[in-house]
Amino acid sequence: QARELSGIQDVRWPDEYDALLEALVPSASMVFVEANQHPRCTCPVETRNARMTKELKEKFPDAVLKNVYEIMADMRQIKKPEEIKALKKACDITNEGFRELLRFIRPGVGEWQIEGFLANEFISRGPRKFSFLPIIASGKDTCVLHYIQNDKRCEDGDLVLMDIGTEYGNYNSDMTRTVPVNGKFTPRQRAVYESVLNMMTYAKKILKPGILKSEYERLVRVFAAGELVKLGLITPAQVAEKPSDPPIVRKYYMHGCSHFLGLDVHDVGGRFEDEKPILLQAGMCTTVEPGLYIAAAPDIPAHFHNIGVRIEDDLVVTATGADNLSEALPRDATGLENWVRGLQ
């Protein structure tokens, strides 16, 4: 049965493992082992793979060991149709749960209640968990990138930013929407929201095979500068100081636009800011998540204070551009308002 399911013809019982190593390792030119080298990985407890590697070194001190992580990481970057199907299913479940959630949001609802509502929606559809700790940030905390306390009530007139996702078959979705708690954006909130949506539209347009990741990120920052000028938050003179990549942009947009997605939420393959040049290729799956965060500060007009907006979709790069796996998730301002107000 194992051969039929896996296609692997040489299948052994676990109790043969030690004897098999004794027979094979001494004559092997190299033994491949696996250790997670992802830059965000921390392992305070010794892993099973680490124990196995240590035992190999003790039993076979002359064996040449090579970590297979880099090889597997390269393989994982290009998704197969079955993997894309699983990612799409995770996105669909997130979309279904989010649509139900929009009718639940109202002034006075607790951020923790939103988290609980989503947990019920996701688990009832099959997944057992969120793909990461959900960010349910309202009011001034929309300007906190990784706010996970989720412990206060959403107030009338505030925005609530929800960075959420679930998994399907171990593949993860990662999507963000920012909505008005009372179902109506203020003029300033809508202006910022539309600017972020413009950034997203532009980023999706240039997300194509062959573009260098670092160049993609730079172009999004340059575009963001134009939006910030239109909002009146920065001046053309500030942009002109370094028009190829205005540093002033990072005051309001301090993170990258995209990261790889797959078996991990921040999947292997490097980040767009890494020194190693990485070209986008067909089959890669990535997020697109621009944002603007305007915290209260003396040099910022008061009517913009505490407005944080992020919008995030999950895309797969194709031969000519990119397909949006989360296209069904509402993102236009009026549509979100209507969902929250129960008009859609």
Side-chain angles (χ1 to χ4, degrees):
Q1 288 176 330
R3 285 194 292 269
E4 291 173 358
L5 287 169
S6 68
I8 297 170
Q9 296 307 302
D10 190 357
V11 180
R12 310 288 182 97
W13 294 104
D15 57 12
E16 297 180 43
Y17 177 73
D18 289 333
L20 196 60
L21 287 184
E22 294 284 353
L24 294 177
V25 172
S27 61
S29 59
M30 187 175 294
V31 179
F32 287 93
V33 294
E34 198 274 340
N36 193 340
Q37 292 178 324
H38 194 285
R40 294 188 177 213
C41 175
T42 57
C43 298
V45 178
E46 187 178 48
T47 66
R48 185 178 183 180
N49 281 356
R51 289 195 298 274
M52 183 189 73
T53 301
K54 184 167 66 176
E55 291 169 3
L56 281 171
K57 288 178 180 179
E58 292 172 351
K59 289 182 179 179
F60 310 101
D62 296 328
V64 178
L65 305 184
K66 180 176 175 57
N67 189 1
V68 76
Y69 178 85
E70 186 174 343
I71 297 171
M72 293 181 68
D74 286 341
M75 293 172 64
R76 281 171 56 179
Q77 287 184 56
I78 308 299
K79 303 298 190 292
K80 295 185 177 181
E82 295 86 353
E83 295 177 287
I84 295 172
K85 184 177 179 180
L87 283 164
K88 178 66 166 61
K89 180 67 173 179
C91 289
D92 289 344
I93 293 171
T94 304
N95 166 55
E96 292 166 7
F98 181 75
R99 285 174 180 266
E100 294 298 325
L101 170 69
L102 286 173
R103 305 180 193 277
F104 177 73
I105 294 173
R106 61 190 182 279
V109 70
E111 294 168 345
W112 70 94
Q113 291 175 308
I114 291 176
E115 180 178 347
F117 187 96
L118 279 171
N120 177 71
E121 290 296 321
F122 291 165
I123 292 173
S124 68
R125 288 171 170 79
R128 301 305 305 161
K129 60 184 179 68
F130 289 99
S131 48
F132 54 93
L133 284 175
I135 296 168
I136 313 294
S138 64
K140 65 179 182 179
D141 291 317
T142 56
C143 299
V144 179
L145 294 187
H146 295 108
Y147 171 88
I148 56 172
Q149 283 80 2
N150 303 349
D151 61 358
K152 66 181 188 302
R153 293 195 180 276
C154 302
E155 301 296 335
D156 191 11
D158 281 348
L159 296 175
V160 56
L161 184 157
M162 296 161 288
D163 193 336
I164 56 174
T166 191
E167 54 79 35
Y168 181 81
N170 295 318
Y171 285 85
N172 298 279
S173 62
D174 181 8
M175 288 172 276
T176 306
R177 291 294 185 267
T178 308
V179 305
V181 173
N182 62 9
K184 190 68 176 177
F185 287 102
T186 68
R188 295 296 178 185
Q189 290 171 348
R190 180 181 274 265
V192 175
Y193 187 92
E194 294 292 353
S195 285
V196 175
L197 193 58
N198 289 341
M199 291 167 62
M200 170 177 263
T201 300
Y202 175 76
K204 290 175 179 177
K205 181 179 177 181
I206 65 172
L207 192 72
K208 296 179 180 180
I211 189 171
L212 197 65
K213 288 183 172 183
S214 57
E215 177 66 2
Y216 161 88
E217 290 286 357
R218 184 190 70 81
L219 290 172
V220 174
R221 288 193 295 270
V222 171
F223 185 90
E227 292 298 321
L228 288 167
V229 169
K230 287 193 293 185
L231 289 170
L233 292 169
I234 64 176
T235 66
Q238 289 174 310
V239 176
E241 292 176 8
K242 189 181 178 183
S244 63
D245 196 356
I248 188 65
V249 168
R250 293 190 182 273
K251 179 177 180 179
Y252 302 101
Y253 171 48
M254 63 291 294
H255 59 78
C257 189
S258 299
H259 60 77
F260 285 125
L261 190 70
L263 290 170
D264 288 318
V265 176
H266 285 258
D267 210 19
V268 294
R271 300 185 66 193
F272 282 25
E273 302 90 345
D274 284 350
E275 294 180 3
K276 178 183 176 182
I278 301 175
L279 288 174
L280 286 180
Q281 302 175 53
M284 289 180 169
C285 290
T286 177
T287 62
V288 173
E289 51 177 312
L292 293 176
Y293 311 91
I294 313 166
D299 62 335
I300 296 174
H303 52 251
F304 273 120
H305 284 185
N306 300 325
I307 297 178
V309 174
R310 182 163 66 251
I311 314 172
E312 179 180 16
D313 279 337
D314 299 341
L315 284 81
V316 56
V317 181
T318 66
T320 57
D323 288 341
N324 190 349
L325 301 177
S326 50
E327 181 63 37
L329 206 66
R331 70 186 56 74
D332 68 285
T334 301
L336 287 172
E337 288 178 332
N338 289 340
W339 272 98
V340 174
R341 292 156 67 188
L343 302 177
Q344 195 161 320

